[in-house]
């Protein structure tokens, strides 16, 4: 067993410390050139009952980080602490017990269920695997969770191909909740759904988080979707956290140029209020940067000379708000002055 819950008031339920990760041992089998890291020194805390949105474009490492927090993937370096327990120190048997409290909602509902199983079998399978209850009580629990996600009891006898994408994703949410977890990772759960179904799933996750007291990591590339369910937003670019803070602040005044680009990507039908300055599109050299310097430098519209040579650290700029950008005003970093060279370059730039 993993022991009793040890989280103290105010302590994070999930804490990631300096997470680094490379796939395939960091090497390509056909080349001596090392693979670039997928994640670089990522620190992230999620409090009990808190919802954190993790955003970034495809390939930024969002799903990898989510799977590492659940220990479905083991990080190359760093530490994951869940409810006071260092997950690296647990045996496989202990992790198996702990994973009852950590669940995942996948992006594609049709790929995440066995199409030969009825909905009843798909929902009760986690209970059966963990030896919880008898068959009658499992069906009762499945019926209860179906009602919670807004589906009728008659769905229990149906097969996945008989449900719409939105209905099946709600079944997947019910399956994730059936073990009464403490922590839920939703990995782009609306990406394969139409607008109406996506809205229903987001509202369902927000309601389930409140009713169950869940800690939620909501992964998406769409800032407008994340903003509806997250207390805080963490922005991941090329495996590096570039900004994190309260949702309202991130939406109203994004500090990092990449975060501003994500906000610009939210559809805006009024041309009079569209921003004039936009980031440049991704380029091939950007994905292969391995040396010093800002990861966003090839796309940033407001670069300084220092951006090419010095990697900006993630520094606090206000209570609960941190940004990794040389353009951040020096007097906002908790009294810590910026490098004089950076300050001079800011004065010389428009």
């Amino acid at each position: 067993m993993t022991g009793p819950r040890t989280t103290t008031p105010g302590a994070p339920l999930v804490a990631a410390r300096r997470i680094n990760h490379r796939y395939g041992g960091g090497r390509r089998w056909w080349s001596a050139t090392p693979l670039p890291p997928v994640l670089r020194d990522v620190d992230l805390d999620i409090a009990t009952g808190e919802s954190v949105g993790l955003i970034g474009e495809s390939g930024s490492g969002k799903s990898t980080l989510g799977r590492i927090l659940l220990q479905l993937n083991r990080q190359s370096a760093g530490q994951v602490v869940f409810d006071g327990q260092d997950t690296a120190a647990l045996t496989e048997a202990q992790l198996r017990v702990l994973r009852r409290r950590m669940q995942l909602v996948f992006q594609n509902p049709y790929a995440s269920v066995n199409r030969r199983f009825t909905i009843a079998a798909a929902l009760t399978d986690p209970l059966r695997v963990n030896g919880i209850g008898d068959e009658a009580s499992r069906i009762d629990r499945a019926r209860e969770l179906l009602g919670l996600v807004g589906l009728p009891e008659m769905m229990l006898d149906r097969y996945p191909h008989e449900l719409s994408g939105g209905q099946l994703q709600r079944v997947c949410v019910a399956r994730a909740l059936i073990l009464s977890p403490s922590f839920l990772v939703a990995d782009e759960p609306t990406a394969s759904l139409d607008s109406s179904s996506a809205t229903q799933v987001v509202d369902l996750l927000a309601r389930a988080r409140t009713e169950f007291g869940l800690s939620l990591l909501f992964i998406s590339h769409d800032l407008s979707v994340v903003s509806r369910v997250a207390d805080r937003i963490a922005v991941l670019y090329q495996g590096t956290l570039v900004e994190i803070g309260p949702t309202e602040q991130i939406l109203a005044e994004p500090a990092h140029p990449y975060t501003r680009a994500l906000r610009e990507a939210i559809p805006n039908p009024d041309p009079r209020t569209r921003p004039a300055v936009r980031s440049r599109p991704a380029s091939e050299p950007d994905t292969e940067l391995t040396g010093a310097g800002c990861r966003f430098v090839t796309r940033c519209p407001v670069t300084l000379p220092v951006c090419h040579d010095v990697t900006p650290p993630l520094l606090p700029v206000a209570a609960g708000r941190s940004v990794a950008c040389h353009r951040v005003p020096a007097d906002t970093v908790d009294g810590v002055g910026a490098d004089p060279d950076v300050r001079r370059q800011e004065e010389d730039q428009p």
Side-chain angles (χ1 to χ4, degrees):
M1 299 293 290
T2 59
R5 299 185 62 173
T6 57
T7 300
T8 57
L13 177 69
V14 184
R17 295 288 177 265
R18 300 188 68 81
I19 298 298
N20 288 266
H21 191 67
R22 293 177 186 264
Y23 282 112
R27 295 281 179 180
R28 299 178 172 93
W29 66 266
W30 68 89
S31 171
T33 305
L35 284 166
V38 179
L39 295 171
R40 301 172 177 84
D41 293 328
V42 174
D43 288 347
L44 183 66
D45 289 349
I46 304 175
T48 300
E50 182 184 29
S51 176
V52 175
L54 183 64
I55 65 168
E57 58 199 23
S58 297
S60 60
K62 306 185 302 298
S63 295
T64 298
L65 179 58
R67 293 178 67 86
I68 285 174
L69 293 181
L70 297 174
Q71 286 296 279
L72 297 176
N73 289 354
R74 292 297 185 108
Q75 64 273 17
S76 301
Q79 182 185 46
V80 176
V81 177
F82 182 85
D83 201 2
Q85 301 176 88
D86 182 353
T87 55
L90 301 178
T91 66
E92 285 300 322
Q94 290 172 325
L95 266 179
R96 184 183 180 89
V97 175
L98 190 65
R99 285 197 182 106
R100 296 180 187 178
R101 299 178 54 203
M102 305 184 293
Q103 293 295 312
L104 174 64
V105 178
F106 293 91
Q107 175 177 335
N108 185 347
Y110 289 103
S112 62
V113 296
N114 189 327
R115 300 192 186 190
R116 296 184 178 184
F117 283 10
T118 63
I119 300 305
L123 286 175
T124 58
D125 195 50
L127 299 172
R128 187 177 301 107
V129 168
N130 285 280
I132 299 174
D134 56 21
E135 197 59 31
S137 65
R138 292 168 192 158
I139 290 295
D140 288 341
R141 178 66 172 159
R143 188 179 295 113
E144 176 188 351
L145 266 296
L146 268 190
L148 178 71
V149 299
L151 294 176
E153 181 182 340
M154 67 181 205
M155 292 283 188
L156 288 173
D157 296 325
R158 295 190 178 179
Y159 287 86
H161 70 271
E162 299 179 275
L163 276 62
S164 68
Q167 289 173 330
L168 190 57
Q169 190 65 296
R170 280 188 274 171
V171 168
C172 292
V173 172
R175 182 179 60 179
L177 296 175
I178 203 163
L179 291 175
S180 300
S182 305
F183 177 47
L184 182 66
V185 174
D187 188 4
E188 301 210 44
T190 63
S192 60
L193 306 179
D194 59 70
S195 178
S196 175
S197 297
T199 299
Q200 293 173 1
V201 170
V202 171
D203 291 343
L204 168 61
L205 286 169
R207 189 171 71 252
R209 171 233 170 170
T210 302
E211 292 182 11
F212 286 83
L214 284 171
S215 296
L216 174 66
L217 180 68
F218 191 100
I219 298 172
S220 180
H221 61 274
D222 190 335
L223 187 59
S224 62
V225 172
V226 168
S227 64
R228 296 176 53 197
V229 71
D231 301 315
R232 288 189 300 144
I233 291 177
V235 184
L236 196 66
Y237 181 76
Q238 293 288 315
T240 303
L241 274 181
V242 297
E243 185 167 2
I244 185 167
T247 299
E248 296 80 5
Q249 294 181 23
I250 295 290
L251 288 175
E253 296 184 67
H256 196 280
Y258 179 58
T259 312
R260 290 198 292 270
L262 291 175
R263 189 181 67 170
E264 292 165 9
I266 299 175
N268 184 355
D270 188 353
R272 296 169 297 179
T273 59
R274 292 173 189 163
V277 179
R278 295 180 177 270
S279 65
R280 294 189 287 272
S283 59
E284 186 62 26
D286 187 43
T287 62
E288 295 295 335
L289 281 174
T290 57
C294 178
R295 304 295 305 174
F296 194 60
V297 68
T298 61
R299 298 173 62 183
C300 183
V302 290
T303 56
L304 297 167
V306 70
C307 299
H308 296 269
D309 304 318
V310 180
T311 302
L314 188 68
L315 295 175
V317 297
R321 183 90 181 269
S322 298
V323 182
C325 181
H326 292 303
R327 283 277 187 176
V328 174
D331 59 355
T332 65
V333 188
D334 287 359
V336 180
D339 188 298
D341 292 336
V342 175
R343 190 174 298 166
R344 282 195 296 272
Q345 291 173 25
E346 288 178 339
E347 293 170 353
D348 293 340
Q349 294 289 319

